[in-house]
Amino acid sequence: MDLYMMNCELLATCSALGYLEGDTYHKEPDCLESVKDLIRYLRHEDETRDIRQQLGAAQILQNDLVPIVIQHNNDKQLFDAVIRLMVNLTQPALLCFGKVPQDPTFRHHFLQVVSYLQAYKEAFANERLFVVLSEKLYDLLQMDWEQREEEHNLLIERILLLVRNILHVPPDQDEEKNVDDDASVHDRVLWAIHMSGMDDLVKFLASSESEQQWSMHVLETVSLMFRDQNAEQLATTGQTRFSAERATDLKNLEILRQREMAEKKNRVFQRGTRHSRFGGSYIIQGLKSIGDKDIIYHKGLHNFQNYTHDLGKELKRVPKRKLQAKDTEARHRSALNVRLFLKEFCIDFLENCYNRLMYLVKDHLIREKAQQHDETYYLWSMAFFMAFNRVHKFQPELVSETASIRTFHFIEQNLTNYYEMMLMDKKEATSWARRMHLALKAYQELLMTVNEMDHSKDSSVREGSKVIKNNIFYMMEYRELFLALFRKFDETKQPRSFLKDLVETTHLFLKMLEKFCKGKSTVMVQSRKVKRKKKKKSSRREEQTKSSEELEEIWTSLSEKLKNCAMGLESLPDEIVPFDAASEIPVEEQRTEALVRIQNGLLSGQAGESLVLLRSAREVWPEGNVFGFSESSPEEEVELLKQILFADLPRSSRMEAVLDEEEEVEEVEEEELTSVQVSEREFNFLDYLKRFANGNVVKTYVILLKHYRNNSAHTNHCVVKMLHRVAYDLKMEAFLFQLSVFCIFNHVLNDPAASAYKELVAFSKYIVNKFFALAATNNKAYVELLFWKNTNVIREITEGYRKLGEDEGAASHKRIKWTPQEEEELQSLYLQYKEVEGVDVVDNILANLKPGTRTRKQIINHLVQMGLADSVKDFKKETKGTRIVLWTEDQEMELQRLFEEFQETDDILGNVMKHITAKRSKARIVDKLISMGLVSDRKELYKKRRRKGKSSGISEEDFLHDLGVDGRNEDDEEDDGDDNDDYESEEDEEMHTKLEQKPKEKPHRSGELFVDKKIQTILQKLHEEGLSPPVVWLQNCLNRTADDREEDGSSQSVPLVPLTEDNEDAMESKTFQKLLKMVGIRPPANEQESFWRIPAKLSPEQLRKLASCLVLSSPEEAVETTTESEDQGSGLEQRAEALRALLLARKKRAPTTAPTEAEEVEPNPDDLSTVPEMPSKSGAKPSKRNRFIESDDEEEEGKEVIETEEQNPDISLKISSERPKVTMKRSRLVDSDEEEEPPLGNDQGGQLKTSGAATDSEDEDLQPIKKKRLRIEDEDED
């Protein structure tokens, strides 16, 4: 814009400011008023920012405002006004226009304003100007807080804003074509700031407690100062170069030299030995031209390798919306003196200001005191200064404010928000992608800092990094973040620099996670499952069809509430409008619909709303007294509402549709009820890695691999490492069998500098070799090169293709449509079997259709769609066992006859079930027999087991009874209680499972006494130490957990969280910890857990039993308990001696040569007896054990046990003498497999169950001889 085009009033105002003569500026008398007029003009400029452009073209700031500030700074009013005008003129163009305009005209104005701002920035590269600003700011900051007025704070803010605006001006790439180490305009401004002392004032504002309000301005200024700098390069400024850096530079130089040599060699070969007029023509066989003939090549053969059909074609224009996003990061290495001063600034800032300033800024961001998108300055500053600290004498305490779990959460939240906004806000997607890149850089630097802390020599620093890693690896959000970013990567919105940082960050995260998992047997992580349930909508049809009884119940519940509302005893809602003025429905019809609305409100229980709607409708339609008289009493209103409730009102379908639509709009957010289930699961690194074996993820890595020449060595390593994980670790190399990937491999292998990419060359050869090995067995592999693949396709490529219709799930069935012929066949089959009773219609239809073509669900759905059935519920399959419920008189007589017939047999119930006509379950037959009075107790129906071939004399039960031992001891009684459940089951196989669980249900009494005695000893110690209250707290926790598990039915481990100091001290006491271990409380498994936990396997009964053991007994009770245990021990020894004598007597009477005779003993699995044992001869303490010998119904299994002992009396299964005792072990189930290994002609199929911790070696009479594989189940070892 030329000067002569300036507005005359604006020109006159600018002329009234003053004039510059040499280095002296002479101001006019009306200078202050002219400055104020310019401010007023700027306030009323149009959308093209015409005033701003005219002032920029006239160079008012360079020629007038800057000299006024330098030479006339003593005039306070003039100085304040000029600073205010300069802040307005230098504000960013993006702030003036709101966004980058897309319209060409406005975009021209936008770029014009930017060019004027760049000229302003060059004028500010003036030390004298910044000296004046620094002195003014220093004087204002020296004032006490009480002396400062509002104008002083405004001036401080304007000076900071002016510096911020100048630093924010972007560089002019066309004008500033400077090389590295050359001073740019930005460097000169920074040097002026440094020479004036402004940088020290900025550090003072960042560290001062009394200047917290300027924290956001300071952070913006600091971030803009270091905008063009690289933190790692800045940290190494002034230091001698390391050998690794020199080697990297030499390697890059060697790559360039090799490529240059190769290009020279190619140019030499392209020069023919003869001139082109005699080059000749050639026919290329196998390469077709436009027609069917082979192509004719008219150039020399030395150029044939570069021939392609695309030569001479015009490049296809790429649409603007598909153009790749460009990198906006401009990296410039400043002059050495500038970098040295910036390095010193960074060191001072980290030591004195960083933690405090970042805390204040984050507090402003969380409390939303800052402006929109100010968090981008916070994210950039975090990434820059943490990188600087990591490279320059890493000191984690200097960045402790941001090296925390809260910072991880803050960045993850912002990163997720930017990611979602980029997907939703399509117009501003590029801006959101840029912000997302800043958040990703901060996240990357946080991970690198934690990784650096992990290698620190200080143990406390390493412990801190371990805590952070435990948290970030435990939470699901941090693990899922990278997968989401890879899958939604968009080249048109996100630049390649973002992809590079994403790949490097993912590489670091996986490396840290793999190392974290290696040293641990199990790693628990959090997992979430989201379940969405559709909300069921109540239809109006159901509301209308109410019986008189139901209406009477509704009115009974509503009448009292309506009376209170009518009399004003309860508050009523706001007034409701009973009609819709904009509706097309006539007013008379709306009056009817108002009655319907009142009735619906009463049916839904909304008493107050119905009363208010009645009164509102009375005011709108007073004629006819349809809604009552205007002076109606509360009783009359209640009676009228009752009449409306019971009335059969006509309903308009049109109005009903409108109301239904309104309800759908109101409940659109409530249709889906989302429930998030949070649980813990064991983490597997390979399973997590399989999530990256995805086509979108691999495509993204290939995009970065295309630019391997421009990538750094570390970036190429990260790409190759991830592709190696997918191809080698996961055995999914077929993911990379793609033509574009092979083209990249071809470029790598033919690269003159291929020696510099050793990893990439080796990986390329590996993938290509794998492909040709596959192509030898799969001739379709070459066609598969054209397509990207998923895991299912990879499986088919490597294992073989499936045929059409083979192994297809429900999804493939859904895609098959019904033809008219199939629909006609379905209709005929349905009509044919619809009237047949006792059969399932859909099963018959499926039997007549072609197998595998349709599913039951598809047939039912299509029948409903065709209108042949009303609902899917019409085809509900009957559940097994529910068809026969009632007993007829004939069936009851049959049951009574069968019971009387088999009453004297051993198995009454089994014989009845075998001969009854109408088959029913055991539970129903038992219940019917009891209800008919044929039996009084279920135990009468138990299967009786009799021992055959017993010698004359007293039985074993009578013998034990004479000794004072009941043959059916406490364990047997408990078994009988469990047998009641056996008859309620549908399958007989459940008996085996029940019997396996019986030894675990009740621990032995002798063991309990021993544990109780130890617990009492520890409780006495804790009582003496004054830790009785924590014991009571532990007892309450056990009881509370038992109640919760009974109510919820859940079985999750529950942490013991001490909330008082006494409980915390007790948890650190070794005696209390010993008590916790004795009652089964689990200590923290690893560093992820902080508290002791009540195991999930403890049932509510066990928890209550443990809680009852924690009561400290008196000394008298302890003495009585000891005496009882001693008496019981002596009694057990006598009983064991007697039983041993009985067994030896039987052994002598048993035949030795006839193992199949009827005199052998048959053990009974239903009658489990307890065999006490003698103390071990090896000197071990006596321990009572329960030994169970189970067998099937056949006699053979009982015979084998005794016969084996007769033939091999010296062989026994010794456990206690060979195996160390293990405390707190549950019962072990020793199962022998069912393979036949008959060394003695016997088939031992029995099971031996033992419970306890040791086994005596003296029970040689019942020990099997055969050595078989043992399966030992021990829950405590899990």
Side-chain angles (χ1 to χ4, degrees), residues 168-413:
H168 189 275
V169 176
D172 188 357
Q173 300 295 341
D174 296 332
E175 294 293 332
E176 297 183 19
K177 295 181 180 178
N178 298 326
V179 296
D180 286 342
D181 295 328
D182 194 7
S184 62
V185 175
H186 192 76
D187 292 341
R188 285 186 280 151
V189 172
L190 290 177
W191 187 251
I193 290 175
H194 174 59
M195 295 304 294
S196 65
M198 179 69 77
D199 56 337
D200 295 328
L201 293 176
V202 171
K203 287 186 284 187
F204 169 76
L205 288 172
S207 61
S208 176
E209 295 184 3
S210 59
E211 308 295 342
Q212 296 181 6
Q213 57 180 328
W214 315 119
S215 57
M216 204 67 228
H217 297 291
V218 171
L219 187 67
E220 290 179 21
T221 303
V222 171
S223 61
L224 291 171
M225 286 173 62
F226 294 91
R227 180 181 58 192
D228 298 337
Q229 305 298 321
N230 185 296
E232 297 179 355
Q233 291 180 358
L234 191 64
T236 56
T237 301
Q239 299 177 0
T240 55
R241 300 182 64 197
F242 296 104
S243 58
E245 295 179 3
R246 289 197 296 269
T248 302
D249 291 345
L250 288 174
K251 185 178 178 181
N252 294 334
L253 190 61
E254 181 64 22
I255 290 173
L256 294 175
R257 192 182 69 82
Q258 289 177 356
R259 286 176 180 161
E260 186 179 359
M261 295 279 293
E263 289 177 2
K264 287 182 179 179
K265 192 174 180 181
N266 287 335
R267 284 197 297 268
V268 171
F269 283 139
Q270 286 178 3
R271 298 194 192 102
T273 55
R274 303 171 62 188
H275 49 80
S276 58
R277 284 176 294 178
F278 301 97
S281 299
Y282 305 91
I283 295 177
I284 305 174
Q285 293 182 354
L287 189 61
K288 300 295 182 182
S289 61
I290 298 176
D292 294 334
K293 296 182 180 180
D294 292 334
I295 197 169
I296 300 175
Y297 187 66
H298 295 284
K299 295 185 179 180
L301 291 178
H302 55 271
N303 287 324
F304 175 68
Q305 289 184 350
N306 298 325
Y307 176 77
T308 173
H309 282 304
D310 296 330
L311 287 175
K313 292 183 180 178
E314 293 184 3
L315 293 176
K316 189 177 180 181
R317 181 178 173 273
V318 181
K320 187 178 180 181
R321 58 186 175 85
K322 292 186 178 181
L323 288 175
Q324 293 185 359
K326 296 181 180 178
D327 290 328
T328 56
E329 296 182 359
R331 295 296 182 190
H332 170 70
R333 191 167 64 191
S334 302
L336 181 61
N337 57 344
V338 176
R339 282 186 286 136
L340 289 173
F341 123 71
L342 290 176
K343 179 182 177 181
E344 293 299 325
F345 182 93
C346 282
I347 295 173
D348 293 342
F349 186 81
L350 281 169
E351 291 178 353
N352 304 310
C353 313
Y354 179 80
N355 284 332
R356 177 174 181 78
L357 181 65
M358 298 300 276
Y359 173 79
L360 294 173
V361 171
K362 187 177 180 182
D363 184 66
H364 287 343
L365 294 174
I366 294 175
R367 297 176 185 274
E368 297 182 354
K369 295 181 180 179
Q371 296 180 0
Q372 194 177 16
H373 306 315
D374 275 349
E375 71 275 1
T376 55
Y377 292 106
Y378 177 83
L379 296 172
W380 186 94
S381 302
M382 183 196 309
F384 183 86
F385 286 104
M386 291 185 77
F388 183 90
N389 178 66
R390 178 173 51 83
V391 179
H392 181 268
K393 300 178 182 178
F394 178 64
Q395 297 177 342
E397 63 274 8
L398 298 183
V399 291
S400 59
E401 173 58 34
T402 51
S404 63
I405 301 168
R406 290 175 300 151
T407 309
F408 270 101
H409 177 65
F410 178 80
I411 295 177
E412 188 270 334
Q413 273 189 326

Side-chain angles (χ1 to χ4, degrees), residues 154-168:
L154 283 175
L155 186 56
I156 293 175
E157 185 176 8
R158 284 168 183 161
I159 292 176
L160 293 175
L161 287 175
L162 180 61
V163 177
R164 190 278 310 266
N165 291 344
I166 292 300
L167 293 173
H168 189 275

